[in-house]
Amino acid sequence: MQTQKKSITILGSTGSIGTQTIETACHLGLKIDALAANSNSSLLEEQLRRTGAKICALADEKAAKDLKERIPDLGVKILAGKDAAAEVAKTSPSDTLVNAIIGFSGLVPTIEAIKSGKNIAIANKETLVAAGELVMPLAREKNVSVLPIDSEHCAIHECLRGAEKSEIRKLIITGSGGPFFGLKKEELENVTPEMALKHPNWTMGKGITVYSSTLVNKGLELIEAMRLFDVPEDKIDVIINRQSIVHSLVEFADGSVLAQLATPDMKLCIQYALTYPLRVEGLTKPLDLASVGTLNFYNIDNDAFPSVEMARRAVRTGGINPCVYNASNETCVDLFLERKIKYTDIFTLIDSACIKFGKGNGVLSLDEIIKADAEAREYVKELVG
Ligand code: NDP
Ligand code: MG
């Protein structure tokens, strides 16, 4: 089997996407040079033993010390601390970096990897939402690719193969609608973390499971699509496909619509990003259309789930506002999981933060984005008290 990529570094290797990336990379026979996680030293130890990676990072210093004691036999270089993932991204010898970190902390490592000339396979959508306007031009300048792992963007990428930009009428992002599809605004008041952590079709990390349920994930994905494909917000629709079989679509100028369909399985998207432009045998079960039977599509109820409309306002405002949308969402999800706010407070707090911060001073730099992220988090926490 021929694959283009020779060796990879995986950030967030112990998470949902990270573990599936290791499975996929082992299936493809790719060399894994380096791994990074936050604090899960026991799983990282297993992964280092399995993959033979020689460099690793843990953001949590205590966990790094624990790891050091566990693997004196492996000769692995261990980096520790909040900048460790960025250091690995910069110095590992890989040609490709898979970014599967959750949240804004994936941003600086992505920038370092691009600066060091690595191609990027990105699951970490928060980076593209908060700073896509910096990251994508930097990637072009350094002549590296940024390929999406997010299933909708992977689908759009597939539908756009061979297409000219002028041929695109619109991108159509699909979503499952989440566990609360069909509920009205008032019925969302009493949603608990346990209820929000049950996704109908996908098994994912905690954070993204909650932001899938609020449809903020679709708002983030709308902005992610704008940055990846350089298409304006008003040419991107979002629609519900309850079965999560149609992963997204592209409508072309002549009215023709291409869709990508597959069994819902992130390993397919990870493999696509790692073998592009080739397609090879993978780990995903073939799609059995007869057993799927029916595909249903619905518009979003913007009254109960204002998240996509808020994302549209954030990009229309521009500047730091998409970053604030992301930061306030991440903070709200943590507060909700800690039972400090109600489910529906997530919507009002994101809205309040976006209104409060506006577009910023108009100069979008990395420092400005890091500052906006921190200030938006602080603002939400202060509002909650
Ligand atoms: P998880 O919560 O399952 O995993 C997050 C990973 O990031 C863990 O390995 C965690 O380490 C690590 N991590 C957190 N902070 C740091 C840090 N500062 N430095 C290094 N590593 C860190 O998340 P998911 O895998 O679900 O999601 C990852 C990304 O992929 C997110 O951006 C999400 O939106 C996106 N995504 C996920 C999908 C899915 O199916 N899961 C689908 C589409 C997109 P530790 O285990 O030690 O805490
Ligand atoms: Mg997605």
Side-chain angles (χ1 to χ4, degrees):
M1 177 172 47
Q2 287 288 311
T3 56
Q4 277 218 322
K5 310 283 160 48
K6 303 273 183 312
S7 65
I8 63 172
T9 289
I10 309 171
L11 306 184
S13 64
T14 52
S16 163
I17 295 291
T19 49
Q20 296 182 80
T21 301
I22 293 185
E23 266 183 77
T24 307
C26 290
H27 164 74
L28 294 170
L30 302 183
K31 182 165 176 286
I32 300 177
D33 297 314
L35 302 172
N38 180 33
S39 63
N40 192 342
S41 51
S42 57
L43 181 53
L44 191 57
E45 175 191 356
E46 267 176 47
Q47 294 183 334
L48 290 165
R49 292 191 186 280
R50 176 174 175 200
T51 62
K54 288 292 173 216
I55 308 170
C56 76
L58 280 169
D60 184 300
E61 312 246 2
K62 232 172 106 209
K65 200 160 158 269
D66 173 56
L67 180 70
K68 206 168 183 178
E69 285 160 14
R70 286 165 177 271
I71 54 165
D73 54 317
L74 291 187
V76 168
K77 180 174 172 186
I78 304 173
L79 296 153
K82 70 174 183 38
D83 301 325
E87 188 60 23
V88 167
K90 182 173 161 183
T91 56
S92 80
S94 310
D95 52 62
T96 300
L97 177 113
V98 178
N99 189 344
I101 290 181
I102 179 100
F104 185 80
S105 32
L107 171 58
V108 174
T110 306
I111 289 183
E112 289 301 337
I114 294 174
K115 282 189 182 160
S116 76
K118 293 179 180 69
N119 291 313
I120 310 291
I122 192 153
N124 178 239
K125 64 188 89 185
E126 298 88 344
T127 280
L128 293 172
V129 172
E133 286 172 300
L134 299 182
V135 168
M136 296 307 290
L138 182 66
R140 281 192 289 277
E141 184 194 318
K142 298 287 172 189
N143 203 19
V144 302
S145 60
V146 179
L147 287 173
I149 286 179
D150 212 350
S151 57
E152 297 74 10
H153 305 75
C154 177
I156 291 169
H157 192 276
E158 297 187 51
C159 295
L160 286 176
R161 284 173 80 144
E164 294 294 327
K165 192 127 176 265
S166 61
E167 296 175 296
I168 304 171
R169 187 184 284 164
K170 53 181 166 163
L171 309 182
I172 306 167
I173 295 174
T174 57
S176 69
F180 309 125
F181 174 76
L183 294 192
K184 296 284 161 227
K185 204 171 170 180
E186 316 74 66
E187 295 172 296
L188 294 174
E189 289 282 326
N190 298 320
V191 166
T192 62
E194 291 72 22
M195 290 156 78
L197 286 171
K198 277 197 197 117
H199 194 278
N201 303 337
W202 298 95
T203 309
M204 309 178 285
K206 272 189 180 182
I208 184 173
T209 305
V210 177
Y211 43 93
S212 291
S213 80
T214 56
L215 301 205
V216 168
N217 191 40
K218 292 300 134 191
L220 297 171
E221 288 180 350
L222 177 126
I223 305 173
E224 183 185 11
M226 289 176 65
R227 304 309 181 221
L228 283 166
F229 305 111
D230 196 22
V231 168
E233 164 268 319
D234 59 359
K235 287 175 91 175
I236 307 177
D237 286 355
V238 182
I239 192 160
I240 305 297
N241 169 226
R242 284 301 279 160
Q243 292 80 11
S244 295
I245 294 293
V246 177
H247 297 298
S248 278
L249 315 89
V250 176
E251 182 178 323
F252 292 94
D254 58 0
S256 183
V257 179
L258 290 190
Q260 189 261 3
L261 283 71
T263 306
D265 179 357
M266 291 308 296
K267 292 193 284 302
L268 175 63
C269 315
I270 296 164
Q271 172 160 313
Y272 181 84
L274 292 176
T275 63
Y276 179 79
L278 290 180
R279 291 183 189 271
V280 297
E281 285 290 327
L283 298 168
T284 301
K285 274 204 239 139
L287 178 62
D288 179 354
L289 278 173
S291 76
V292 173
T294 311
L295 294 171
N296 306 103
F297 296 92
Y298 304 90
N299 285 322
I300 291 179
D301 174 354
N302 288 314
D303 183 45
F305 298 97
S307 321
V308 173
E309 287 303 310
M310 291 197 293
R312 290 190 191 280
R313 284 203 292 277
V315 286
R316 281 187 211 132
T317 305
I320 58 167
N321 218 255
C323 170
V324 170
Y325 178 83
N326 176 67
S328 51
N329 174 55
E330 284 191 39
T331 312
C332 284
V333 169
D334 288 344
L335 291 167
F336 169 68
L337 290 174
E338 291 162 22
R339 296 172 204 278
K340 293 193 176 136
I341 59 171
K342 279 194 308 194
Y343 188 74
T344 43
D345 292 340
I346 298 176
F347 305 116
T348 39
L349 288 166
I350 296 174
D351 199 33
S352 167
C354 286
I355 291 167
K356 155 95 183 155
F357 287 93
K359 73 194 293 246
N361 66 9
V363 190
L364 206 57
S365 65
L366 181 59
D367 286 347
E368 203 58 38
I369 285 172
I370 291 173
K371 186 166 151 256
D373 175 82
E375 287 179 358
R377 284 168 200 268
E378 213 35 59
Y379 172 75
V380 170
K381 284 185 202 148
E382 268 171 25
L383 277 186
V384 173

